[in-house]
Amino acid sequence: MFSDKDIQQIINHGLTVEKVNNQIKIIKSGMIYSDLVEAATIGNGILRIDAEKQQGYIDRFENNRNQLSIVKFVPASGAATRMFKFLFQFLNEFSTAQQSIEAYSKKNNAISVFIKGLEKLPFYEIAKEKMHQANSNIDALLLGEHYVLFVKTMLDANQLNYSFYPKGLLPFHKYKNDVSTAFKEHLIEATMYASSNNQANLHFTISEVHKAMFEKELKLVKEPLETETNTKFNVSFSYQNKSTDTIAITSSDKLYRTEDDKLLFRPSGHGALIENLNALDFDFIFIKNIDNIVVLEQNIEVSNYKKMLAGILLQIQTQTFKYLNKLEDDEISEDEVNNIELFVINRINVELEEAYNMYTLKEKRDYLRHKLNRPIRVCGMVKNEGEPGGGPFWVKDSNGAVSLQIVEFAQIDIENQSQKNIVDNATHFNPTDLVCAVKDYKGNKFDLTKYVDPDAAFITLKSLNGVDIKALELPGLWNGSMAYWNSIFVEIPLSTFNPVKTVNDLLKPAHQV
């Protein structure tokens, strides 16, 4: 199938022919959908913690955080281009000769919101000043022409070039004396919950093309923040490894070739970041997306929920380690094994296999040890109010084992009525708010790549240069890449979820001082 030139390209990409052939086989065989058993709900896979207990978990974490090594892991490689999609459309469609800006905005709600909130955008003054510097006759412009010029100043490559920026480096919040990027806000937030002994470790996964920009911003904000917060920041960056890219084939299962007759390899989605996560050696890892960050005055309350999740994780981990040590004792009683059984079922959300009751005591010990000795994650879940994204479900795997999983909509066969009914009855979704424990009871770090379900990969269909192509995305980082972790889902308020999908989201209260 591959020429010598193809094989050399594959090797240069950090892949092997065997890996690429396996990718092609998976793409050709098609999507393996998740087998949903039922939606996880309050009392059935999702914990709801009352206010008094919340404070107890917060206190538990606060009392122990200085004994833990902690890192905050932030996927931050996304370019801001999609945030400005409707503005690019505006530049293409709008012509002052054909219609007024008032008429256009009446038909386009996104533009209407943008114009009405323009002065509240964090970069308004920056763009306005830049616009005036470059245009001496600005006062002579019609209103529509003025808005066109403002948008061009924001987006054009020879102006502010915001569409090239990663989300993390866009101006996000406007304070009295400062405009803050999402990157800077994540450093500040880390001092609230993801730090110990006045030290905050943060790891950002970024695109290599943006590395110099991130380093420049870090240099600018690090020293003043260290003085202001009395916290030392250790910030590291990594990229999505090229060797995790996957090959693209045509809809007729032929190799897709570029104009210069090369194979096409594409980034394989955030599931590739399990490699980056696996390279980190810390007790606790907080995971949060780059754009889900609120202004400082609101962040104290939001951060308390992170501490609560960490307190729950600490309690679960402490009990897990205690039981794992007990299971090593040959003198352990049947009653003690029964207690561990109940913990595995009720707190770790593991359904025991049917044959379990027939096992000898030794077989039960081995089975429970196997189930307990895994990475643990505590995931915040918010009420579903129509936001896109993954949700918490009980899922049956190919061996018939049922477990709690975060499932993306693309993993569900919505044409199957019974599966659609389960989705329709779902009450919560995943805002990507996790705290993870990745070391075993003997202090050794787990190899996270061993807990991935390769069958949870996505097959995506795209059009490229007029050709329909099929590509493979690896199991999502908090979906199939964490399929064999022990999972605890906890309800947190919707106020903790404030993503910035479009530039207009920056006008919402969570992003306004």
Side-chain angles (χ1 to χ4, degrees), residues 401-506:
V402 176
S403 61
L404 270 184
Q405 301 291 339
I406 297 171
V407 183
E408 289 294 328
F409 193 74
Q411 293 175 268
I412 302 168
D413 183 4
I414 217 70
E415 300 297 317
N416 181 321
Q417 191 58 47
S418 67
Q419 296 290 283
K420 185 179 183 299
N421 290 343
I422 292 170
V423 173
D424 291 344
N425 288 318
T427 57
H428 289 70
F429 81 97
N430 158 51
T432 311
D433 208 338
L434 301 81
V435 56
C436 309
V438 294
K439 291 185 178 178
D440 68 17
Y441 66 113
K442 295 182 178 178
N444 303 307
K445 198 182 78 63
F446 289 108
D447 177 358
L448 303 182
T449 62
K450 292 181 177 176
Y451 298 88
V452 175
D453 177 9
D455 286 344
F458 301 86
I459 312 297
T460 59
L461 303 174
K462 297 187 182 294
S463 181
L464 194 64
N465 299 325
V467 179
D468 290 335
I469 62 168
K470 297 190 286 188
L472 179 69
E473 286 195 15
L474 296 176
L477 181 58
W478 37 84
N479 312 114
S481 283
M482 296 182 176
Y484 300 120
W485 292 40
N486 285 331
S487 300
I488 293 90
F489 296 163
V490 182
E491 185 181 60
I492 54 177
L494 195 57
S495 60
T496 62
F497 183 59
N498 299 283
V500 177
K501 301 303 181 189
T502 84
V503 65
N504 284 350
D505 288 331
L506 291 172

Side-chain angles (χ1 to χ4, degrees), residues 71-103:
V71 67
K72 187 181 184 189
F73 181 86
V74 185
S77 57
T81 313
R82 279 181 292 180
M83 279 178 62
F84 304 115
K85 185 179 177 183
F86 74 90
L87 292 177
F88 282 112
Q89 187 179 347
F90 165 67
L91 293 178
N92 287 331
E93 292 178 353
F94 179 73
S95 166
T96 51
Q98 293 174 345
Q99 59 187 313
S100 68
I101 188 66
E102 291 85 357

